[in-house]
Amino acid sequence: MFNYQDLNDIEFEELCKDIMSKSLNTSLRSFAAGKDGGIDLAGTITGKNFNIIVQVKHYIKSTFSSLKNSLSKEISKVANLNPYQYYICCSQELTPNNIKDIYNMFSSYMASDKNIYTLKEIDSFLQDRNNRDILEKHYKLWLSSTTILDDINNNSIFIDCETLLSDIKEERKFFVQTTPYNLCKAFLKKHRSILLLGSPGVGKTTLSKMLLIYFADCDYRVRYTTNGDISDIKNALSKDKNRKEIILLDDCLGQYYFKLNDRQENEILSLLKYVKYNSNKLLILNSRITIFNEAKERSIEFQRYITKNEMNIYTLNMDKIPPLEKAKILYNHLTYNNISAEYLSSIKANKNYLKIVNHPNYTPRIIEYVTLNANSTITNNNYFEYVYKKLQNPIDIWKDEFTNKLDTIDRIFINTLYSLTDTNISSSILEECFEKRLSTLPNIDCTINNYEKTLKRLNQSIVKIIDLENKKHIGVINPSVNDYLKSIFFKNNLELNNIKNNIIYYEQLIRCYSKESGLFHSLCKPSS
């Protein structure tokens, strides 16, 4: 059976709408939540002028008594509507007696108890290969149920599979099958390579990973790494040209590939050409627009390749995403980040959600931030004002977090992390550097484990813990944190000097003195 628990109430209703429309051979219309008057879906039966009504109940996490109680409140509404046929779709597995109880409530408007679609009937419908189109349309349902998530653990398919698996399992709840996703999927099928461009926070990485998993389920072996070394990707590619493989280079011209220095554009070009002449290979690249423009200036060959239109480019622009899709992204984050009912009321009041969805600064990253960081300091009726303020000043998100929300020891932790890496670093290395820094400071309480306490406090707010081959690594929660740190790291001379005075690893030396020359010969032990 497919996993229906990851579907929110709206997604389950859309699924039922597609199933019932096909089953009844009619077009069904849906209605706004809370104003249905007993109708979730409605239409007409082919050849007849009688209304049909479908009631949808997403009660997968509830008891039958709760479902029955909810349905009992529909009886008088259905009597007023007097439909030719009344159907019920529910996300529970019901016993014969349960079905009989429900049928007795609505028998006057049902041909038989077959008008009641339980989770068993819904699942049987989706298991039918003739209905594959509906299953693929509801991406989250397909993704959470496909065996590909288990196959990710197979190291012959993935590199750095733990990171990818962790990200996908978390991100799939929030993912919406947007117009750009459908366009890029079709584009890849036709052209086999694509470069996704966009501003920070528009969802390039999430979109890339969801495309990746789609093709993995189409028997493509995935080549993906987080260590910034394209040579690992090349070494992992099969010598068999008939082997179907898909490559993902996330932030291909930016921070994850700083190790390639001046050769990065040529390395990427070699991969593009390799895919172009090998019909069983696919390539997904993504980059921030500013970094892409810098790359064109750095490499004449890269610029020439772009100018000749040999690189297939899709620019992810939030202005081109329909408001309904933006609203679904907002709804998913509000739902799965467990925003309180009081906060939700603030969003719904006066249709404030339209001001969010239609705001010119709307991005999934800002929506993620305001739903993850909602806390008790925001009064219930001011939650919308809080969200709107962040939309008005998106650049201030991490500035506000870093300057006003973090303690001194937290900022030291973040700066130490940034002094080591743009991606992720072994927790033991970070702990060593962090404690070296703290050892020079007065008034530090040494009777507690400051590292673990700080990490626990910052985890999932500004940093994240990554499990790589059963070893703990630490990185920032998303690249925008590094974008902000980069803008302040070299401007704060006092803090920079404090970090320099406590350098342990070679990586720190390179990063802290990257804007100076002649200082790279100090003796520092490498971290690897």
Side-chain angles (χ1 to χ4, degrees):
M1 179 172 284
F2 294 110
N3 178 9
Y4 299 87
Q5 294 197 33
D6 281 347
L7 299 182
N8 62 43
D9 52 345
I10 293 177
E11 290 166 337
F12 183 70
E13 183 175 308
E14 289 178 347
L15 173 66
C16 291
K17 178 182 176 182
D18 290 337
I19 291 174
M20 297 304 293
S21 293
K22 191 168 184 177
S23 296
L24 301 176
N25 191 29
T26 189
S27 177
L28 294 175
R29 180 181 179 183
S30 56
F31 296 85
K35 298 182 180 180
D36 56 23
I39 306 174
D40 284 327
L41 309 170
T44 58
I45 295 178
T46 304
K48 296 181 181 292
N49 294 321
F50 296 100
N51 289 333
I52 61 170
I53 293 174
V54 180
Q55 191 71 45
V56 180
K57 297 292 183 181
H58 193 21
Y59 274 61
I60 194 167
K61 297 178 182 179
S62 300
T63 62
F64 174 69
S65 60
S66 297
L67 172 64
K68 185 177 178 180
N69 182 57
S70 176
L71 286 170
S72 67
K73 298 176 182 178
E74 306 292 340
I75 295 175
S76 60
K77 299 176 185 178
V78 176
N80 290 331
L81 293 166
N82 193 29
Y84 175 76
Q85 286 293 319
Y86 184 67
Y87 293 86
I88 294 172
C89 292
C90 69
S91 55
Q92 282 192 8
E93 295 186 70
L94 304 179
T95 67
N97 284 336
N98 294 156
I99 295 172
K100 184 178 179 180
D101 286 348
I102 295 175
Y103 177 68
N104 288 337
M105 296 165 67
F106 302 99
S107 58
S108 299
Y109 314 100
M110 291 183 172
S112 71
D113 62 8
K114 299 296 183 183
N115 283 39
I116 302 168
Y117 280 62
T118 71
L119 201 59
K120 181 179 179 181
E121 281 76 36
I122 291 171
D123 196 69
S124 295
F125 181 93
L126 294 173
Q127 297 286 353
D128 188 336
R129 288 186 174 274
N130 293 322
N131 300 319
R132 176 76 182 183
D133 57 330
I134 293 179
L135 180 61
E136 286 195 6
K137 180 180 177 182
H138 297 272
Y139 186 97
K140 188 188 295 184
L141 182 63
W142 162 78
L143 177 60
S144 63
S145 303
T146 181
T147 58
I148 195 61
L149 292 181
D150 295 327
D151 293 339
I152 290 178
N153 287 313
N154 181 346
N155 284 324
S156 67
I157 299 178
F158 288 84
I159 308 170
D160 286 350
C161 56
E162 298 94 342
T163 303
L164 189 66
L165 178 61
S166 175
D167 289 348
I168 290 170
K169 282 186 173 180
E170 180 63 24
E171 292 168 9
R172 72 186 183 192
K173 295 184 297 184
F174 306 103
F175 180 69
V176 172
Q177 198 166 343
T178 58
T179 299
Y181 168 81
N182 293 322
L183 289 172
C184 290
K185 183 171 71 172
F187 200 87
L188 266 173
K189 288 180 178 179
K190 182 176 181 180
H191 299 289
R192 295 188 293 104
S193 68
I194 190 169
L195 169 61
L196 291 170
L197 293 179
S199 302
V202 295
K204 301 181 297 297
T205 295
T206 298
L207 175 57
S208 298
K209 289 176 180 176
M210 297 307 164
L211 288 169
L212 189 82
I213 294 302
Y214 172 82
F215 285 99
D217 197 47
C218 297
D219 298 324
Y220 281 85
R221 292 201 170 191
V222 175
R223 305 306 179 197
Y224 165 83
T225 184
T226 60
N227 70 1
D229 193 344
I230 292 181
S231 63
D232 281 356
I233 295 284
K234 290 182 174 179
N235 292 334
L237 291 171
S238 173
K239 294 181 181 179
D240 181 2
K241 292 187 177 182
N242 294 319
R243 172 64 59 81
K244 294 166 69 175
E245 294 176 297
I246 182 168
I247 305 162
L248 168 61
L249 298 185
D250 186 28
D251 198 11
C252 64
L253 298 165
Q255 59 188 20
Y256 288 166
Y257 292 88
F258 68 91
K259 293 181 182 179
L260 295 174
N261 299 320
D262 296 334
R263 298 178 58 243
Q264 58 185 330
E265 290 85 8
N266 292 333
E267 293 277 7
I268 291 170
L269 285 177
S270 69
L271 271 179
L272 283 163
K273 293 173 182 177
Y274 173 81
V275 171
K276 181 178 180 179
Y277 295 110
N278 288 273
S279 60
N280 287 306
K281 314 299 180 185
L282 303 178
L283 176 61
I284 303 173
L285 310 166
N286 67 58
S287 175
R288 287 162 287 168
I289 292 176
T290 52
I291 302 297
F292 172 72
N293 291 335
E294 290 175 10
K296 287 193 295 183
E297 294 298 320
R298 282 198 304 260
S299 170
I300 295 176
E301 186 178 357
F302 188 72
Q303 187 179 63
R304 186 181 298 120
Y305 197 85
I306 302 296
T307 304
K308 290 171 63 179
N309 295 319
E310 294 193 55
M311 181 178 285
N312 304 304
I313 299 174
Y314 180 85
T315 301
L316 190 57
N317 188 334
M318 294 308 297
D319 292 338
K320 296 180 180 178
I321 296 180
L324 179 59
E325 293 177 2
K326 292 182 183 179
K328 288 180 178 180
I329 294 171
L330 172 63
Y331 188 82
N332 278 349
H333 279 84
L334 291 169
T335 300
Y336 292 108
N337 285 326
N338 299 314
I339 296 301
S340 69
E342 292 79 9
Y343 282 1
L344 286 176
S345 296
S346 175
I347 295 294
K348 293 178 182 177
N350 303 316
K351 296 185 177 180
N352 285 331
Y353 52 84
L354 292 178
K355 298 176 185 177
I356 296 173
V357 168
N358 293 318
H359 197 285
N361 290 335
Y362 176 105
T363 67
R365 182 169 294 161
I366 295 175
I367 299 304
E368 175 189 44
Y369 177 87
V370 296
T371 52
L372 269 176
N373 292 275
N375 55 62
S376 58
T377 62
I378 306 167
T379 58
N380 292 337
N381 58 353
N382 283 336
Y383 180 64
F384 166 71
E385 285 73 14
Y386 163 76
V387 175
Y388 196 78
K389 181 179 178 181
K390 296 303 179 186
L391 285 167
Q392 290 288 84
N393 301 286
I395 199 169
D396 290 337
I397 285 179
W398 296 120
K399 180 180 179 181
D400 177 59
E401 185 78 9
F402 194 79
T403 306
N404 301 320
K405 304 288 179 62
L406 300 183
D407 293 333
T408 300
I409 197 169
D410 296 335
R411 288 192 286 270
I412 290 173
F413 185 98
I414 297 300
N415 284 333
T416 303
L417 175 61
Y418 186 76
S419 76
L420 284 160
T421 182
D422 274 317
T423 54
N424 60 76
I425 194 73
S426 165
S427 180
S428 61
I429 291 174
L430 177 58
E431 182 175 9
E432 181 183 2
C433 295
F434 178 67
E435 290 183 345
K436 173 68 161 49
R437 175 73 190 281
L438 293 188
S439 68
T440 65
L441 299 178
N443 303 320
I444 293 294
D445 185 355
C446 298
T447 64
I448 60 174
N449 189 328
N450 285 289
Y451 177 77
E452 289 297 335
K453 183 179 180 181
T454 307
L455 176 59
K456 183 177 181 180
R457 183 166 57 247
L458 297 180
N459 186 35
Q460 293 306 311
S461 65
I462 198 166
V463 303
K464 62 181 177 180
I465 299 173
I466 305 165
D467 183 5
L468 295 178
E469 298 179 355
N470 296 319
K471 294 181 180 179
K472 187 162 69 174
H473 282 61
I474 312 299
V476 294
I477 197 164
N478 63 54
S480 65
V481 178
N482 279 336
D483 291 338
Y484 171 71
L485 292 173
K486 183 179 179 180
S487 71
I488 66 169
F489 190 75
F490 295 100
K491 295 179 181 179
N492 187 343
N493 291 324
L494 287 175
E495 174 64 359
L496 183 58
N497 286 332
N498 286 331
I499 295 173
K500 288 178 178 179
N501 291 335
N502 291 282
I503 284 176
I504 298 177
Y505 288 95
Y506 180 73
E507 284 83 353
Q508 292 178 292
L509 187 70
I510 293 294
R511 289 173 71 76
C512 291
Y513 289 101
S514 63
K515 295 193 175 183
E516 302 175 33
S517 60
L519 296 172
F520 296 109
H521 301 291
S522 300
L523 295 176
C524 293
K525 58 180 178 178
S527 63
S528 57

